[in-house]
Amino acid sequence: VARPIGIGLLGCGAVGRGVMSILRANAERIAARAGGRLALRRIATQDVSKFRDDVEPPLLTGDPWAVVHDPDVEIVVELLGGLEPARTLIAEALRQGKAVVTANKAVLARHGTELQATAARHGAPLLFEAAVAGAIPIIKPLQECLAASRIQSILGIIDGMNNAILTGMARDGLDFSAALQRARQLGCLAGDTGADDVERRTAALRAHVEGYDAAFTLAILASAAFETRVRVEDVFCEGITHISLADIQYGRELGYVLKPLAIAKEGEGRLELRVHPAFIPREHPLAAVNDLFSAVFVRSDAGGELMLCGRGTGVLPAASAVVADIIEAAKRLRSGLRGVPPAPERTLPVKPIDEVVSRFYVALEPADDPGVLAAVAGAFGRWGIGIRAAMQRERFAAPAESFASPIDLVFLTHAVQEARLRRALAEIDQLDGVRRIRHVIRVEEPEPSQPTA
Ligand SMILES: NC(=O)c1ccc[n+]([C@@H]2O[C@H](COP(=O)([O-])OP(=O)(O)OC[C@H]3O[C@@H](n4cnc5c(N)ncnc54)[C@H](OP(=O)(O)O)[C@@H]3O)[C@@H](O)[C@H]2O)c1
């Protein structure tokens, strides 16, 4: 009978307890898949005196280093969150040759390359599927299942909360704040219970709606997909707070669905990295991904197009991904084939957003001037920007949305470099017939994959 493999938990909060309950409930199945039993040896928490009915008190310690240094702990599972001490503890566990499983997006987005290098130096597996898109397996498919292909692009809905908000607006006609309220009731926001820690909750909420949370996820995904170092600061990031029901409605008339997209593309030796709301054609597979679901659409030269979809948020999906990584780590430790990939050695330059080419949706409020449509079209023309569609509509607006003018002019442009569009818009903004440019939203029309073989 194989000796049990020792597990040490750093953190026993929402995800930690989920992990413990899965390990307990599915012990037989997990042992069969891991090639033998797993044994929980130690658990570090901040406050050991807190009552935890599901934890055996002797396992608890207030000192996370005691977990990392425990010789009976072979797999360290980091579920503390935050940058420090998580980063230092992970690095130390790897230096000792222990396997590390983490769900910590922040630490990986900021220090992933350095930790992967430490893992490679010490032959220590570092597994982090749970840090990216919850229960959706994506790191393994990128690194292993698509190993024979060159990844060309990733389009993802990787923030389930933002997707739930935009779904609430598009499908159910809620305005932004009502849709946000409902998304929270669905339990999208980690730790969104009780009245305590309002500051932490507000910060978490902002990280979602302003796109930072997705930017962290994209940094990790892009690094794995393109085998390059990615700095999270290089991800262009725009939130969803400015989106109105009117935009969603006009986009629908033009054949599009609005989604909170994360985009990473490699082309001509550079990377595009951006997180922003975007219109996608209603026939695109991502257009059907609604509510709390997340999805990642990958295009590669040999593998073609594939989409992985599932519950990207929530404690149990995250815990399930952590346990799957624990099983994988146990198998690797038992087999002696540790399968530690090298850390990315190259740093692809990132294309500035000004140079990114897309189509654009532009909504503006005209003054009461019959010549305005022609004047705007003329300004676009002077900048060489073609117009695919133009329409004038009496404003569709929810009760909470109030605008000065009841008329909207909406344009859909052909593909244009972002800097050029901005210059044209600066000119349009000065036209007598234009009260204000209300919204500019990128339109993402994915190209088919380009086989190289
Ligand atoms: N919650 C989700 O839905 C979700 C989904 C995906 C990924 N994640 C990621 O999973 C990780 C854990 O999230 P969570 O929601 O489980 O967090 P959480 O509920 O806040 O739990 C954090 C745990 O870490 C312990 N802890 C914090 N600092 C410590 C320190 N310095 N020393 C010892 N223990 C310490 C806390 O101790 P006390 O119990 O004593 O306070 C608590 O047990 C985070 O990286 C998060 O981003 C979470």
Side-chain angles (χ1 to χ4, degrees):
V1 179
R3 181 181 63 80
I5 287 209
I7 297 172
L9 286 190
L10 298 174
C12 181
V15 180
R17 297 174 90 154
V19 166
M20 284 197 307
S21 91
I22 295 173
L23 286 174
R24 231 178 260 131
N26 298 344
E28 292 304 319
R29 168 198 299 265
I30 290 168
R33 298 206 167 161
R37 294 217 154 264
L38 306 174
L40 192 52
R41 304 276 190 214
R42 299 219 86 172
I43 303 170
T45 62
Q46 207 151 29
D47 178 1
V48 277
S49 67
K50 212 189 262 181
F51 175 69
R52 302 172 209 255
D53 57 358
D54 49 356
V55 179
E56 294 168 44
L59 295 184
L60 282 177
T61 170
D63 176 12
W65 292 101
V67 175
V68 169
H69 289 135
D70 187 330
D72 289 333
V73 167
E74 290 148 280
I75 302 175
V76 172
V77 182
E78 186 278 309
L79 301 169
L80 303 172
L83 291 180
E84 290 294 354
R87 169 202 185 182
T88 317
L89 289 160
I90 293 172
E92 178 56 23
L94 294 170
R95 274 195 287 274
Q96 292 183 30
K98 301 190 179 200
V100 173
V101 173
T102 177
N104 193 328
K105 195 184 303 185
V107 126
L108 289 162
R110 295 254 176 232
H111 305 295
T113 308
E114 147 208 327
L115 291 172
Q116 280 172 285
T118 308
R121 259 197 315 278
H122 297 274
L126 170 64
L127 302 168
F128 49 88
E129 197 68 74
V132 180
I136 306 176
I138 179 66
I139 297 299
K140 196 168 178 173
L142 285 175
Q143 290 182 332
E144 296 178 25
C145 317
L146 288 170
S149 295
R150 196 174 62 82
I151 309 290
Q152 294 165 329
S153 67
I154 294 175
L155 284 191
I157 295 173
I158 52 177
D159 189 309
M161 173 155 191
N162 287 357
N163 198 29
I165 293 172
L166 292 187
T167 304
M169 294 178 77
R171 189 188 55 206
D172 308 323
L174 303 175
D175 65 17
F176 180 82
S177 56
L180 170 64
Q181 218 33 53
R182 202 181 61 183
R184 288 181 66 175
Q185 281 157 9
L186 293 173
C188 299
L189 189 62
D192 198 9
T193 49
D196 58 339
D197 217 348
V198 176
E199 218 171 283
R200 187 176 159 195
R201 214 161 49 229
T202 310
L205 197 59
R206 284 190 53 192
H208 282 281
V209 295
E210 291 177 9
Y212 304 128
D213 199 79
F216 276 53
T217 307
L218 187 68
I220 303 169
L221 267 179
S223 174
F226 302 108
E227 295 171 307
T228 178
R229 297 189 190 97
V230 174
R231 292 176 349 129
V232 70
E233 295 78 12
D234 289 334
V235 180
F236 171 81
C237 191
E238 183 185 291
I240 61 165
T241 51
H242 64 296
I243 296 300
S244 78
L245 275 171
D247 297 314
I248 292 175
Q249 171 65 20
Y250 301 147
R252 184 180 294 144
E253 284 186 50
L254 293 163
Y256 295 97
V257 174
L258 190 71
K259 287 292 170 194
L261 280 199
I263 300 164
K265 294 182 186 176
E266 186 186 354
E268 293 158 8
R270 292 200 291 175
L271 272 187
E272 270 180 42
L273 295 171
R274 43 200 173 98
V275 166
H276 53 71
F279 282 117
I280 52 172
R282 67 171 151 244
E283 307 77 32
H284 192 280
L286 285 173
V289 176
N290 286 320
D291 298 308
L292 290 177
F293 280 84
S294 294
V296 182
F297 187 86
V298 182
R299 192 157 60 92
S300 66
D301 56 357
E305 292 165 341
L306 72 91
M307 186 164 98
L308 297 146
C309 177
R311 276 292 294 261
T313 67
V315 169
L316 219 52
S320 144
V322 168
V323 175
D325 272 351
I326 293 175
I327 294 171
E328 173 70 24
K331 280 198 299 202
R332 292 198 202 173
L333 294 182
R334 282 214 162 93
S335 72
L337 297 171
R338 293 181 159 226
V340 183
E345 280 176 6
R346 63 176 186 164
T347 307
L348 280 175
V350 176
K351 201 188 255 191
I353 191 71
D354 272 0
E355 293 179 33
V356 169
V357 172
S358 1
R359 293 181 173 136
F360 289 89
Y361 159 102
V362 178
L364 52 87
E365 272 178 36
D368 197 9
D369 176 350
V372 62
L373 205 141
V376 174
F380 276 132
R382 278 191 292 285
W383 287 95
I385 301 171
I387 296 170
R388 283 184 77 197
M391 63 188 202
Q392 178 165 326
R393 287 286 180 277
E394 191 119 352
R395 182 160 309 114
F396 165 90
E401 294 183 339
S402 66
F403 301 94
S405 154
I407 299 292
D408 272 327
L409 264 186
V410 173
F411 294 87
L412 190 64
T413 75
H414 280 295
V416 54
Q417 213 179 49
E418 187 134 348
R420 180 182 284 264
L421 181 95
R422 299 276 160 214
R423 282 188 214 114
L425 290 179
E427 187 178 321
I428 289 167
D429 202 32
Q430 298 304 309
L431 293 173
D432 286 343
V434 172
R435 276 220 179 99
R436 67 174 180 128
I437 295 168
R438 211 163 51 68
H439 280 157
V440 179
I441 299 174
R442 294 170 190 84
V443 179
E444 194 63 29
E445 306 235 21
E447 306 129 34
S449 57
Q450 293 151 1
T452 50

